[in-house]
C-alpha cells in the first residue's frame, strides 16, 4: 500500500483483509496509522479473522479460535485508535500500557470495515464498533447471497444496542466479473485461466464458503453466471448482477471486484475499462444516476433538435441580413 500510495494521488487504499487474529493488535494499529500518515488520509483498514483453515492450523489455532480472537483484538485496536492506553493479556499476546506513537492522520480515524462471509460474526462486530461491513462472501455462495439482507439487520441491531451510528454507505460488497464486447468473446477470454482458478478452490483452498462447481470449461462459466457467483458476459450482464445484489441487500455503498486471472492481462484490462465506462455510471450519482442524467440530456437535445436547428439557421440569416444592411448604410 505504501508503494501504491507513492505512485498515486487520489485512489484510496485498503487492506482486504488484515487477518487480525494472526497479529499483535498493537502493531496492526501502529502500521495502519503510519500508512494513514504516508497516504495523507487515503488508507482504510479491512479486518477479518482469517478464513483459510490451513493458515490458522499452522499457528495452532482453530477457525473458532480466530473468530474469538478477532473480537478481542478488534476491541483493543479500536481502543488504541481512540487514544487509550491498553493493558490486556490475550491468548496470543500480552499488552502492557500499550499506546500509539502517533494519532491517526484522518480525523477522527480512517475507515474500518469488518469482513463477513456467511456467519453473523462480522456484522455483529461492525455494528458494535460503528464500522463498515465488507461482504466478501456475498456472491460466492447461495448462502452468502441469502444472508445479505439479514447481515445488515444484524449490523443495525448491534449498533442500536451499543449506541453506534451505521450507514449503508459504508457497506461494501465483493464480487467477480469479466466482461467483453460480446458474450462469446468473454467466454473465449476466460479460457485463459478459469480452470486453474476452479482447481485452486476445489482442491487446494480449504475455504468451504468459496466452494465452486464444474469440471468442464462451459460448466464453470455456467456456474459463475447461473449460481449468482458473478458475471461472465457483456456489460448488460454485469449491470444485471449489480442490480440483483442491490435488490437482495436493500442497498449498499460500494461494489468491489475480486481480482482474478480468468483472462490474460490485455483482456482483463479491457474488462475493467468496459465496467468503468458502461457499468459504474449506471449506479453512481444517487437517485438520478450519472448515466440517467447523461441519457436524459441526450434525449432532450434530440427532441428539440429540429426547433433548435431552425433557430440556428434563422440566427445566421438575421446576422447576414444585418451585415448587408450595415454595408449599404456605410456606402
Amino acid at each position: 500500500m505504501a508503494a501504491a500510495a507513492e505512485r498515486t494521488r487520489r485512489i484510496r487504499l485498503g487492506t482486504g483483509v488484515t487477518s487480525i487474529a494472526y497479529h499483535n493488535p498493537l502493531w496492526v494499529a501502529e502500521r495502519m496509522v503510519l500508512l494513514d500518515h504516508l497516504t495523507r488520509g487515503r488508507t482504510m483498514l479491512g479486518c477479518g479473522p482469517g478464513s483459510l483453515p490451513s493458515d490458522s492450523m499452522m499457528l495452532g489455532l482453530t477457525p473458532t479460535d480466530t473468530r474469538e480472537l478477532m473480537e478481542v483484538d478488534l476491541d483493543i485496536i479500536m481502543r488504541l485508535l481512540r487514544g487509550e492506553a491498553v493493558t490486556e493479556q490475550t491468548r496470543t499476546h500480552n499488552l502492557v500500557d500499550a499506546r500509539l506513537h502517533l494519532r491517526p492522520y484522518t480525523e477522527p480515524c480512517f475507515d474500518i470495515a469488518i469482513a463477513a462471509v456467511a456467519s453473523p460474526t462480522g456484522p455483529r462486530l461492525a455494528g458494535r464498533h460503528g464500522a463498515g461491513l465488507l461482504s466478501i462472501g456475498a456472491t460466492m455462495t447461495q448462502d452468502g447471497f441469502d444472508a445479505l439482507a439479514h447481515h445488515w439487520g444484524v449490523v443495525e441491531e448491534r449498533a442500536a444496542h451499543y449506541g453506534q451510528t451505521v450507514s449503508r454507505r459504508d457497506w461494501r460488497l465483493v464480487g467477480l466479473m469479466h466482461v467483453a464486447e460480446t458474450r462469446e468473446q468473454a467466454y473465449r477470454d476466460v479460457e485463459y485461466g478459469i480452470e486453474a482458478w476452479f482447481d485452486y478452490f476445489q482442491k487446494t483452498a480449504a475455504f468451504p464458503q468459496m466452494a465452486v462447481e464444474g469440471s468442464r470449461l462451459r460448466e464453470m462459466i455456467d456456474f459463475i453466471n447461473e449460481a449468482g457467483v458473478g458475471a461472465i458476459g457483456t456489460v448488460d450482464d454485469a449491470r444485471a448482477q449489480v442490480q440483483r445484489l442491490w435488490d437482495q441487500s436493500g442497498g449498499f455503498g460500494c461494489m468491489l471486484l475480486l481480482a482474478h486471472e480468468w483472462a490474460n492481462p490485455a483482456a482483463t484490462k479491457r474488462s475493467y475499462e468496459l465496467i468503468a465506462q458502461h457499468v459504474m455510471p449506471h449506479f453512481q450519482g444517487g437517485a438520478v444516476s450519472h448515466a440517467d442524467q447523461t441519457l436524459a440530456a441526450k434525449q432532450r437535445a434530440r427532441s428539440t433538435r429540429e426547433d433548435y436547428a431552425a433557430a440556428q439557421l434563422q440566427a445566421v440569416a438575421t446576422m447576414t441580413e444585418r451585415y448587408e444592411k450595415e454595408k449599404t448604410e456605410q456606402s
Side-chain angles (χ1 to χ4, degrees):
M1 286 172 60
E6 182 185 22
R7 293 161 171 81
T8 58
R9 291 294 177 269
R10 294 181 297 276
I11 188 173
R12 300 182 69 205
L13 305 161
T15 63
V17 298
T18 297
S19 299
I20 59 176
Y22 302 159
H23 303 279
N24 186 317
L26 173 62
W27 302 140
V28 172
E30 286 275 32
R31 287 194 294 266
M32 290 306 302
V33 168
L34 175 59
L35 281 170
D36 194 34
H37 280 264
L38 291 175
T39 63
R40 295 295 189 269
R42 291 188 288 132
T43 192
M44 301 174 286
L45 173 61
C47 298
S51 291
L52 289 173
S54 55
D55 286 351
S56 59
M57 297 301 180
M58 289 189 287
L59 297 176
L61 301 171
T62 67
T64 299
D65 293 333
T66 61
R67 282 152 181 79
E68 292 174 347
L69 278 168
M70 178 180 170
E71 188 162 354
V72 173
D73 289 348
L74 180 62
D75 183 66
I76 292 172
I77 290 169
M78 299 300 285
R79 288 160 60 192
L80 289 167
L81 292 172
R82 290 195 297 267
E84 298 179 21
V86 178
T87 296
E88 188 159 343
Q89 173 77 58
T90 74
R91 174 174 172 176
T92 55
H93 296 95
N94 185 30
L95 279 70
V96 181
D97 196 29
R99 63 190 74 199
L100 298 180
H101 294 88
L102 293 170
R103 61 177 301 281
Y105 178 89
T106 303
E107 179 63 41
C109 187
F110 43 81
D111 282 354
I112 298 174
I114 315 302
V117 179
S119 82
T121 302
R124 283 180 54 250
L125 294 178
R128 176 179 175 180
H129 295 286
L133 187 65
L134 182 63
S135 295
I136 297 177
T139 64
M140 290 308 301
T141 65
Q142 188 62 47
D143 289 342
F145 177 79
D146 291 342
L148 280 178
H150 170 66
H151 275 182
W152 191 252
V154 173
V155 173
E156 292 183 323
E157 185 274 324
R158 288 289 85 189
H161 179 79
Y162 285 99
Q164 299 283 1
T165 300
V166 293
S167 171
R168 286 179 179 269
R169 289 181 177 274
D170 298 321
W171 188 9
R172 301 165 175 88
L173 270 58
V174 183
L176 293 150
M177 287 184 185
H178 177 79
V179 301
E181 280 78 1
T182 66
R183 193 169 295 168
E184 292 73 19
Q185 182 61 54
Y187 289 5
R188 288 194 295 271
D189 287 346
V190 301
E191 292 178 5
Y192 174 86
I194 198 170
E195 289 177 295
W197 188 87
F198 267 74
D199 182 77
Y200 172 75
F201 284 111
Q202 291 174 340
K203 301 177 182 178
T204 302
F207 191 178
Q209 292 90 345
M210 295 181 73
V212 290
E213 300 176 6
S215 58
R216 293 182 294 107
L217 181 65
R218 188 52 188 261
E219 288 178 342
M220 296 173 182
I221 295 172
D222 289 342
F223 175 79
I224 296 294
N225 286 332
E226 295 173 7
V229 171
I232 298 174
T234 66
V235 293
D236 289 335
D237 297 319
R239 287 199 293 261
Q241 173 69 355
V242 177
Q243 187 63 53
R244 177 174 174 270
L245 292 168
W246 180 273
D247 294 340
Q248 174 68 9
S249 65
F252 51 89
C254 182
M255 176 79 186
L256 302 175
L257 296 182
L258 184 65
H260 52 74
E261 295 180 334
W262 290 347
N264 65 42
T268 299
K269 179 182 178 183
R270 181 56 179 156
S271 176
Y272 288 146
E273 290 173 345
L274 289 170
I275 291 169
Q277 293 167 359
H278 302 289
V279 180
M280 292 165 59
H282 282 263
F283 300 96
Q284 295 175 328
V288 178
S289 71
H290 294 313
D292 288 340
Q293 183 70 22
T294 301
L295 292 172
K298 175 185 176 181
Q299 183 56 41
R300 285 195 301 273
R302 290 174 66 94
S303 63
T304 57
R305 182 184 182 281
E306 186 173 342
D307 291 341
Y308 286 169
Q312 180 78 351
L313 291 174
Q314 181 60 50
V316 172
T318 298
M319 296 310 296
T320 301
E321 181 180 350
R322 186 173 300 172
Y323 172 64
E324 294 298 334
K325 183 178 180 180
E326 287 175 354
K327 288 197 305 181
T328 301
E329 291 174 349
Q330 290 173 358
S331 62

